[in-house]
Amino acid sequence: MKIFQKELRLKPFNRGFHLITNIILESIPEIGSITVGQLQVFIKHTSASLTINENADPTVRLDFENHINNMVPENQPYYTHNYEGPDDMPAHIKASLMGTSVEIPISNGKLNIGIWQGIYLCEHRNSASGRNLVVTLIGN
């Protein structure tokens, strides 16, 4: 059994949904040595999240952003946690709804995902300074 783990600091992204599959893959060349295994990506933040979805049409990412902003609007009178601005509490809620990690099977040294799937960073803040990910490979 092989286990590799590293922490990756992403550059700041604008608010929205961003494909980061290639950034992750470039950070873990060890994936080529895994015949059968798992990749876990975990985000160490409470106001951003990760998910897997469409990697071809960028309008999907725009629709995600528009929809989640309608689901979890800013400036609600019942928010009491607003120390960092009107996007703060909605960002926490969105991150909890979307999730903090993704797991993907590895087969023959490659991610075993669908042809149209990619890993998204879901940035829920207006002005984030970058995000930290923990990337873990486990397999044979």
Side-chain angles (χ1 to χ4, degrees), residues 13-16 18 47-48 65 121-125 128 131:
F13 282 88
N14 293 331
R15 182 169 164 170
H18 307 277
S47 58
E65 176 67 9
L121 166 68
C122 313
E123 179 53 71
H124 305 302
R125 295 302 307 269
R131 299 298 186 172

Side-chain angles (χ1 to χ4, degrees), residues 83-103:
Y83 310 117
E84 296 178 35
D87 65 331
D88 189 26
M89 190 60 220
H92 292 303
I93 295 169
K94 292 170 187 178
S96 286
L97 291 172
M98 300 298 294
T100 57
S101 66
V102 293
E103 287 192 61

Side-chain angles (χ1 to χ4, degrees), residues 45-101:
H45 298 275
T46 61
S47 58
S49 54
L50 300 170
T51 194
I52 296 173
N53 216 291
E54 166 81 50
N55 69 359
D57 184 350
T59 64
V60 172
R61 296 189 300 276
L62 180 60
D63 288 345
F64 259 106
E65 176 67 9
N66 290 332
H67 186 78
I68 200 160
N69 287 335
N70 282 314
M71 285 176 52
V72 186
E74 294 181 7
N75 298 309
Q76 295 304 298
Y78 49 83
Y79 293 153
T80 57
H81 179 79
N82 55 15
Y83 310 117
E84 296 178 35
D87 65 331
D88 189 26
M89 190 60 220
H92 292 303
I93 295 169
K94 292 170 187 178
S96 286
L97 291 172
M98 300 298 294
T100 57
S101 66

Side-chain angles (χ1 to χ4, degrees), residues 6-7 13 20 34-35 45 50 76 90-93 127-128 135:
K6 62 177 62 172
E7 191 160 325
F13 282 88
I20 59 168
I34 305 290
T35 303
H45 298 275
L50 300 170
Q76 295 304 298
H92 292 303
I93 295 169
S127 300
V135 180

